[in-house]
Amino acid sequence: GPHLARATAALLGAAPAPARLAEVGRAAAEEIDARADLHATAAYRRRVAAGLAARVLTAAAARAKAA
């Protein structure tokens, strides 16, 4: 099936408001295969992934708006 299906569904048809992009980031983080190791827990990796996804989407939305 498609990767990040829930995150994609949460993004489609929605205005790129900060709260929506944070929600999409959290949905993406829940769908990734984060594994714990010596350096970080899986929960920490998911939190970081959620924040990074939201930042990337926010930057992309700003670039799209400026174009």
Side-chain angles (χ1 to χ4, degrees), residues 8-44:
T8 301
L11 187 59
L12 292 176
R20 173 61 67 146
L21 298 179
E23 177 185 336
V24 172
R26 287 189 299 274
E30 290 174 7
E31 293 185 71
I32 66 169
D33 182 18
R35 296 183 182 171
D37 65 14
L38 172 67
H39 303 288
T41 65
Y44 173 77

Side-chain angles (χ1 to χ4, degrees), residues 45-64:
R45 292 177 193 270
R46 283 191 187 92
R47 282 194 310 273
V48 170
L52 289 174
R55 286 175 55 189
V56 167
L57 292 169
T58 300
R63 282 194 308 271

